[in-house]
Every structure is written in C-alpha cells, then in structure tokens.
C-alpha cells in the first residue's frame, strides 16, 4: 500500500509540470482528469486480482461471496427450525442448503489446491457430480425413508 | 511565445497520452495478465522443483492457524460424511431404522456410544461456532490479534461444552 501511494505520488509529480502548463493554457478540467485517470490506471495494474472472475468485468465474484454468506446464515437459522418443527419442509430445505454449502465450500478448497486448466476442469466436474448425487441421495432419503430431522433424532435417541 | 509554449505543452500532453495509452492497453485485459502471471509462477515452481506453498514446516504453529485449518478440515469431513450418507441411502437396500437397530444390537456399550456422539457433534459444533466467527470477520470486526485469539478461545470452549452436552444426552 505504501509503495502504491509512493508510485502514484511519483506519477503525479512527474506529470504535473506538463499538465499544469496545459491547464493554464487550454483545458484545465481535461488535464486534471487525465492526470487522475493515469494514476488510477497504474493502481489498477498493480491491484490485478488473481481470481477466476478477474477480467470478466462482472460482479460474479462478489455476488458469489455474498451468496455464500447468506446461505451460511440461512443454514444457521435452519438448526432451531429443524429442532422445533421437524418435517418434510425443513428436511428438503436442509438437503438443498447442506448440499450447496458443501458444494461451494469444497469448490473453494479446489480453487486453493488444484492448479492447471485441465485438472481444475476435471476437479470441478467431479465435484458437480458428487454434489448432484449428494442432493439426489438426501432427497431420496427424505422421500423414501425417515428424513434428515428424524434420522438425527433417532440416532441420538439410541 | 505563447504559441510555442502551447505547442510544447500539447506535445507533452500527447506524449503523456500515448504513454497513458500503453498503460491502458496493458491494464484492460487485467484478468488475463494476472492469470498469465500465475501460470508463469506455477511453471517456474514446477521447473525448479520448489516445495508446495504453504511451506508448513517453516511456520511456528499458532492457535488461529490451527483453528483455520480445523475449520476447513471439519468442513471437508462433514461434507464427505453427508455425501457418504446420501450415496449410502441411494445404494444400500433396507431403511435407516433397520441399520440403526442393527448397529445397536452389536451392543458397543455406553462409553463407545457417547464417544461416537461426541465425535459426530464436535465437528458440527466447531464448524458452526467458527463459522459465526468468520461471519463476524466478514462484517469487518474482530481483526486485532488479541481479539482473534479471544474469539478463538471462545469458539473452542463453546464447541467442547456443546459437544460434551450433546454427547451426554
């Protein structure tokens, strides 16, 4: 950060004499904006984020981050609901929320540890298959068996 | 004189603009550049046969660091458990109460049952409490080092208390 401030201040100092002359003569506003833009460009260059989402120019990354947090909070809220109002509604909600939370969490682990284009693709594809089977299995358990809430209650009653 | 100054200034401005253009050209495909840089870094690491980062052996282990990897470990473990359970539900014949009765009929004794309940409850409790700690960090609070340690101790204490209580039921 300190280095950044230094670089941008150097940039300002280096450019100013030229721009100041032009500002006194012609277009002050344009000159100032140019100067500002330039330091911004340098800042952006240094701050290039090594992320899968970088360069897409979208809000996908921050939207994903926010969704993860929202889901975590929803999952926290589901615990008391599952305890006080067990039933199919919360069973299927848990199946979906637990699967998605696990899918995103494991996806983050893969992002951290798996490198190489092909390996990343393979890992993500495998994770998708695993999550799909997990969700299907949990739904099947809710449909044809006792359901998640009852399963935990039975396990704990032994 | 004014004309001369103006011409010089204009030229200065143009040259600075062209420089600006060069910078801009580099800055636009930011993601690609970063990705290329990363690929170069990994290629170099592989070529020089460098050890994989993080170099665990060079760090002094600390509570927050161990709690962080435990959070990930419990997360992966719980996820694996849920997936194994779900796939078992798809694949295995027979229903859940049946299997539960079968395991119960092996009569492991109360000590082992309580230990198993603790082993199941602890990762859930820990991941939940530490998850809340993470959510508090996510809103930008509790980043000072003493706070990080304090919240860590609170999470450990609550996790142990909760899982002991749950195992005792």
């Amino acid at each position: 950060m300190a280095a950044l401030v230094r670089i941008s201040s150097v940039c300002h100092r280096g450019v100013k004499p030229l721009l100041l002359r032009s500002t006194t003569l012609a277009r002050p506003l344009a000159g100032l904006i140019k100067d500002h833009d330039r330091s911004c460009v340098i800042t952006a260059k240094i701050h290039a984020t090594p992320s899968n989402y970088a360069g897409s120019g979208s809000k996908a990354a921050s939207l994903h981050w926010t969704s993860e947090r929202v889901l975590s909070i929803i999952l926290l809220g589901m615990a008391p609901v599952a305890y006080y109002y067990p039933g199919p509604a919360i069973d299927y909600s848990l199946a979906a929320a637990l699967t998605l939370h696990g899918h995103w969490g494991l996806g983050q682990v893969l992002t951290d540890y798996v490198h190489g284009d092909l390996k990343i693709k393979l890992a993500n594809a495998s994770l998708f298959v695993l999550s799909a089977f997990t969700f299907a299995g949990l739904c099947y358990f809710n449909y044809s068996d006792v359901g998640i809430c009852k399963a935990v209650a039975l396990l704990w009653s032994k | 004189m004014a004309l001369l100054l103006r011409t010089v200034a204009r030229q200065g401005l143009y040259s600075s603009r062209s420089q600006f253009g060069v910078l801009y050209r580099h800055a636009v495909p930011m993601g690609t550049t970063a990705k290329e840089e990363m690929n170069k870094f990994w290629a170099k690491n592989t070529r020089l046969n460098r050890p994989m980062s993080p170099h665990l052996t060079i760090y002094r282990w600390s509570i927050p660091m161990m709690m962080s990897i435990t959070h990930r470990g419990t997360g992966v473990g719980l996820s694996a458990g849920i997936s194994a359970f779900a796939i078992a539900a798809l694949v295995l014949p027979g229903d859940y109460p049946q299997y539960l009765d079968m395991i119960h009929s092996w009569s492991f004794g109360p000590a082992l049952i309580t230990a198993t309940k603790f082993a199941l409850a602890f990762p859930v409790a820990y991941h939940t409490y530490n998850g809340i700690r993470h959510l508090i960090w996510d809103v930008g609070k509790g980043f000072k080092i003493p706070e990080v340690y304090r919240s860590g101790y609170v999470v450990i204490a609550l996790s142990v208390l909760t899982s002991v209580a749950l195992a005792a039921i």
Side-chain angles (χ1 to χ4, degrees):
Chain A
M1 190 62 214
L4 202 77
V5 170
R6 206 139 155 205
I7 287 167
S8 71
S9 77
V10 165
C11 157
H12 275 279
R13 220 182 300 150
V15 177
K16 229 162 205 159
L18 283 173
L19 287 170
L20 271 181
R21 253 184 291 171
S22 75
T23 52
T24 48
L25 291 168
R27 297 153 63 191
L29 199 62
L32 280 175
I33 286 170
K34 287 252 161 48
D35 189 25
H36 179 73
D37 272 358
R38 195 177 154 170
S39 71
C40 277
V41 166
I42 287 170
T43 307
K45 205 167 134 72
I46 290 167
H47 266 290
T49 319
S51 155
N52 291 338
Y53 300 100
S56 65
S58 71
K59 285 188 170 171
S62 80
L63 209 79
H64 179 73
W65 189 90
T66 312
S67 310
E68 282 177 328
R69 270 72 201 165
V70 168
L71 180 64
S72 301
I73 293 164
I74 290 172
L75 211 46
L76 280 173
M78 278 183 179
V81 177
Y83 185 79
Y84 290 108
Y85 308 101
I90 193 72
D91 279 344
Y92 283 100
S93 306
L94 275 172
L98 285 173
T99 308
L100 193 56
H101 186 73
H103 181 78
W104 282 343
L106 289 176
Q108 196 57 60
V109 174
L110 294 184
T111 304
D112 284 352
Y113 302 137
V114 179
H115 302 289
D117 285 338
L118 183 68
K119 281 187 200 162
I120 290 170
K121 274 186 190 137
L122 277 176
N124 283 335
S126 314
L127 176 61
F128 187 82
V129 172
L130 178 72
S131 298
F133 271 102
T134 304
F135 184 58
L138 290 178
C139 286
Y140 179 73
F141 184 78
N142 289 337
Y143 181 73
S144 67
D145 214 316
V146 292
I148 296 171
C149 295
K150 183 89 172 147
V152 176
L154 277 175
L155 179 68
W156 237 256
S157 70
K158 296 288 176 184
Chain B
M1 187 61 211
L3 191 70
L4 188 72
L5 253 178
R6 186 177 290 195
T7 316
V8 169
R10 274 282 157 81
Q11 245 159 16
L13 193 61
Y14 281 141
S15 75
S16 89
R17 193 185 288 163
S18 72
Q19 218 175 337
F20 167 82
V22 166
L23 282 170
Y24 199 70
R25 242 199 347 261
H26 279 293
V28 168
M30 207 174 1
T32 330
T33 311
K35 206 175 174 198
E36 279 166 11
E37 288 296 320
M38 256 163 63
N39 288 343
K40 242 191 281 173
F41 173 79
W42 286 111
K44 192 177 178 186
N45 267 18
T46 315
R47 184 161 42 82
L48 297 176
N49 203 18
R50 283 170 171 168
M52 179 88 153
S53 174
H55 313 287
L56 294 177
T57 47
I58 65 167
Y59 287 111
R60 187 170 61 84
W61 285 55
S62 65
I63 294 276
M65 168 220 226
M66 285 188 277
M67 289 190 70
S68 172
I69 196 62
T70 308
H71 188 74
R72 180 159 276 193
T74 51
V76 171
L78 289 168
S79 212
I82 290 169
S83 292
F85 181 88
I87 289 164
L90 283 176
V91 171
L92 292 181
D95 59 0
Y96 179 77
Q98 204 181 313
Y99 286 108
L100 213 54
D101 284 339
M102 190 175 83
I103 292 166
H104 204 237
S105 69
W106 295 337
S107 45
F108 285 115
L112 198 62
I113 286 178
T114 307
T116 309
K117 281 181 181 173
F118 181 84
L120 287 174
F122 184 79
V124 177
Y126 178 84
H127 197 83
T128 305
Y129 288 128
N130 206 49
I132 295 170
R133 184 169 169 240
H134 268 279
L135 287 171
I136 294 167
W137 283 334
D138 289 338
V139 293
K141 288 191 166 68
F143 279 127
K144 289 197 188 92
I145 294 300
E147 292 171 341
V148 170
Y149 272 87
R150 211 179 307 137
S151 60
Y153 292 135
V154 169
V155 163
I156 293 171
L158 281 176
S159 307
V160 170
L161 283 176
T162 308
S163 36
V164 164
L166 285 173
I169 295 173

